[in-house]
Amino acid sequence: LGQNLSDFEAKIKAFQPDLVGFSVMSGSHEWGRQMAIQIKDKFGIQNIFGGSHPTFFPEFVKEEGVDFAIRGEGEESMLEIMNRIDRKESFSDIPNLSYQNGQLVHNPLRNLAKRLDDYPKPDRFLYGDLDNRADRQVRNVITSRGCPFHCTFCFEDAMRDMYKGKGKYVRIREIDEVIKECKRLKEETDVKVIYFADDVFGMKRQWLYDFLEVYKKEIGLEFICLVRADIVAADEPYAQKLADAGCRSVFFGVESGNEKLRNAVLDKQLTDEQILKAADLLHKAGIKFRTYNIVGLPDETLEDAFSTVELNIKIKADYPWCSIFSPFPGTELTDYAFNKGYLGKEFDYNTLDKSFFLESKLKLDHIREMENLQKFFQTAVLWPWTYPIIKKLIKLPPNMLFKAWFGFVYFIVYIKSEKRNFFKTLKFALKNYKHVLAKE
């Protein structure tokens, strides 16, 4: 997001694209739109947007400078668009496409692909220009698509509703195909750690256990993955099997330390007992874990936010992670916030911050204290002796020193949890993520 047109001009001139594509989340969409305007003004090239923001807020195509948007899963629609451009044919009737033609047009969604392995494998060299700036020793692999759970703050629930009747939503890849992709990474790149970036890794236990045996034998690299605490807690061998296959770190959501808020408002369906047991099993297996947490939630009190810190201290989270609730379009929790009056009718999605670590958009009691608490969340969990001091500090007005301290601790936690190279990641972060410390 720190990039500007000058970073791309040489590439655009050399490649001469027919369309410029942007994959944007809510918060980064405005950067993408401004970049699209500059490209169109200078080169006359139309643009197409995909990702979660245009999927759940397709009115985005009404914004100045936006030509087309793809909603939902876009592989097949984008291929068809490119083929139509080659044939100089109109692509206005292609499924998933949104655009303006005197009025707003949203074409129906196509059915979901039955087999993810029918798609070509990712081009691992597409971002070769980053090799000297980013740590490329940690590489992502996705073994599934879709999530069966119904957390109200997540886009997955809304996506599932969008695709109702259009095929099986949760799809898991074949073990052999995932292993082939990992082998290719091992042979062709300098990968040292695989990050399985599924919403929930190994949702089917038998698939997971079979996969881990093959992975350990044929790949043998350390790996990181996302899990759910209730799945870990439900099967005692689970954590140890992960560890035996090379897992050194997992991530899972706690979200709130208040069990009632976590389940009644967030629909997480996760008890304190399950979180405590999962943490104990992971510690015993020698697996460090990152917890995902949110403050500034609808209905949350300052005491609720404190309980989130305290639960993380209790489970001795190795890499605590905390964001401020951001009202993303299309999610049930955002609708809830509107209905309860925490968001006014004047709220505009274009005002969303590029980062969910900055400030809240909700009208809540003690919201400024919660924003400050988020800046010191990791500090309080990692060094509990600071917690009483922090509870007093957060009464001060939000300020740059709090943000700077957060940026420093956040960076250290990120490096350790994802096993990144310190100097390469620092260089990359300083160039591209200044908005973590302050609004641009």
Side-chain angles (χ1 to χ4, degrees):
L1 296 183
Q3 295 171 315
N4 52 51
L5 181 57
S6 63
D7 295 314
F8 303 107
E9 284 193 73
K11 292 282 186 184
I12 293 171
K13 289 176 182 176
F15 190 70
Q16 297 185 335
D18 297 295
L19 278 176
V20 176
F22 295 85
S23 179
V24 292
M25 296 183 292
S26 299
S28 66
H29 62 283
E30 186 59 17
W31 170 87
R33 188 179 73 85
Q34 292 298 331
M35 183 67 70
I37 289 173
Q38 293 177 56
I39 292 172
K40 189 186 294 186
D41 287 346
K42 186 154 189 173
F43 298 100
I45 303 170
Q46 289 188 305
N47 56 73
I48 187 163
F49 283 78
S52 56
H53 188 74
T55 292
F56 298 111
F57 192 67
E59 294 84 355
F60 182 57
V61 295
K62 293 166 62 177
E63 299 285 341
E64 178 190 357
V66 179
D67 296 315
F68 305 100
I70 291 287
R71 308 180 329 277
E73 298 189 3
E75 289 96 339
E76 293 172 59
S77 293
M78 279 305 305
L79 176 60
E80 195 171 344
I81 287 171
M82 295 296 101
N83 288 336
R84 297 267 192 104
I85 289 176
D86 280 349
R87 298 195 299 265
K88 295 181 170 52
E89 296 175 357
S90 169
F91 53 79
S92 61
D93 61 334
I94 287 178
N96 298 52
L97 188 69
S98 291
Y99 60 97
Q100 282 206 97
N101 185 19
Q103 61 181 1
L104 199 55
V105 178
H106 301 307
N107 291 342
L109 297 178
R110 67 172 72 242
N111 289 339
L112 290 166
K114 292 181 180 179
R115 291 187 74 253
L116 297 177
D117 290 310
D118 288 340
Y119 289 143
K121 299 301 181 288
D123 182 348
R124 297 293 181 172
F125 304 98
L126 190 62
Y127 296 100
D129 289 349
L130 295 178
D131 283 346
N132 293 324
R133 296 192 291 135
D135 178 12
R136 309 293 281 161
Q137 294 184 336
V138 181
R139 298 289 182 128
N140 290 14
V141 172
I142 296 175
T143 73
S144 66
R145 186 179 291 182
C147 178
F149 300 99
H150 299 271
C151 305
T152 59
F153 55 87
C154 182
F155 79 91
E156 287 283 0
D157 210 34
M159 183 82 93
R160 189 187 300 106
D161 287 342
M162 282 176 55
Y163 276 105
K164 191 173 183 178
K166 292 187 174 293
K168 187 178 180 181
Y169 184 66
V170 178
R171 289 143 292 161
I172 301 175
R173 295 177 59 194
E174 297 293 330
I175 290 175
D176 288 349
E177 293 296 325
V178 179
I179 294 297
K180 284 180 187 177
E181 186 176 344
C182 293
K183 280 184 177 178
R184 185 184 173 202
L185 274 174
K186 193 173 178 181
E187 292 167 358
E188 299 179 4
T189 75
D190 59 352
V191 63
K192 296 292 187 293
V193 179
I194 299 286
Y195 175 17
F196 291 112
D198 306 45
D199 293 296
V200 180
F201 179 57
M203 286 177 280
K204 289 187 177 179
R205 189 173 288 113
Q206 192 56 55
W207 182 98
L208 176 65
Y209 290 173
D210 291 345
F211 173 79
L212 292 176
E213 285 188 21
V214 182
Y215 181 88
K216 181 179 180 180
K217 180 180 178 181
E218 299 191 21
I219 306 302
L221 294 174
E222 288 190 10
F223 68 91
I224 304 167
C225 61
L226 290 90
V227 299
R228 269 184 61 104
D230 52 350
I231 294 176
V232 177
D235 185 14
E236 293 207 4
Y238 186 101
Q240 192 59 55
K241 283 182 179 290
L242 286 175
D244 290 345
C247 181
R248 297 296 175 263
S249 179
V250 300
F251 311 152
F252 65 86
V254 171
E255 319 310 350
S256 173
N258 182 300
E259 188 174 284
K260 182 178 179 181
L261 180 65
R262 185 191 314 130
N263 294 320
V265 178
L266 305 185
D267 202 11
K268 187 74 178 177
Q269 299 308 307
L270 182 64
T271 67
D272 287 351
E273 182 181 356
Q274 289 169 323
I275 292 171
L276 292 167
K277 184 174 181 180
D280 182 55
L281 290 170
L282 290 167
H283 284 311
K284 286 179 178 177
I287 297 176
K288 295 184 181 295
F289 57 85
R290 175 199 289 177
T291 58
Y292 290 115
N293 305 274
I294 311 172
V295 297
L297 292 161
D299 288 353
E300 186 177 42
T301 67
L302 186 57
E303 287 303 317
D304 293 333
F306 287 151
S307 72
T308 307
V309 176
E310 289 156 12
L311 180 56
N312 276 265
I313 291 174
K314 189 173 184 179
I315 63 176
K316 298 180 180 178
D318 299 286
Y319 311 121
W321 192 281
C322 185
S323 62
I324 299 169
F325 170 67
S326 189
F328 293 131
T331 60
E332 185 178 335
L333 193 55
T334 294
D335 293 340
Y336 183 82
F338 274 114
N339 293 336
K340 294 291 291 280
Y342 298 125
L343 284 172
K345 292 181 179 179
E346 74 282 358
F347 174 73
D348 183 350
Y349 289 118
N350 286 328
T351 66
L352 283 176
D353 296 313
K354 299 184 183 76
S355 167
F356 37 65
F357 298 134
L358 293 175
E359 64 181 25
S360 174
K361 301 299 180 184
L362 269 59
K363 302 171 183 176
L364 286 174
D365 291 338
H366 303 291
I367 190 58
R368 297 305 164 225
E369 289 98 322
M370 291 187 201
E371 289 176 358
N372 284 338
L373 182 63
Q374 183 270 331
K375 305 300 181 291
F376 288 104
F377 189 96
Q378 293 169 316
T379 303
V381 176
L382 294 173
W383 302 287
W385 63 268
T386 66
Y387 184 41
I389 302 170
I390 288 169
K391 291 177 80 170
K392 295 179 180 179
L393 272 180
I394 64 171
K395 295 178 182 179
L396 297 173
N399 59 77
M400 278 300 302
L401 286 177
F402 289 1
K403 290 179 180 179
W405 177 253
F406 162 72
F408 170 72
V409 179
Y410 165 87
F411 180 74
I412 298 301
V413 170
Y414 172 77
I415 290 292
K416 289 185 176 181
S417 65
E418 297 205 4
K419 301 181 180 296
R420 303 281 178 176
N421 178 282
F422 180 85
F423 294 105
K424 281 191 174 183
T425 308
L426 178 61
K427 183 179 178 181
F428 187 68
L430 289 175
K431 181 174 176 60
N432 295 289
Y433 296 102
K434 295 177 184 177
H435 62 276
V436 170
L437 300 180
K439 282 187 176 180
E440 291 183 332

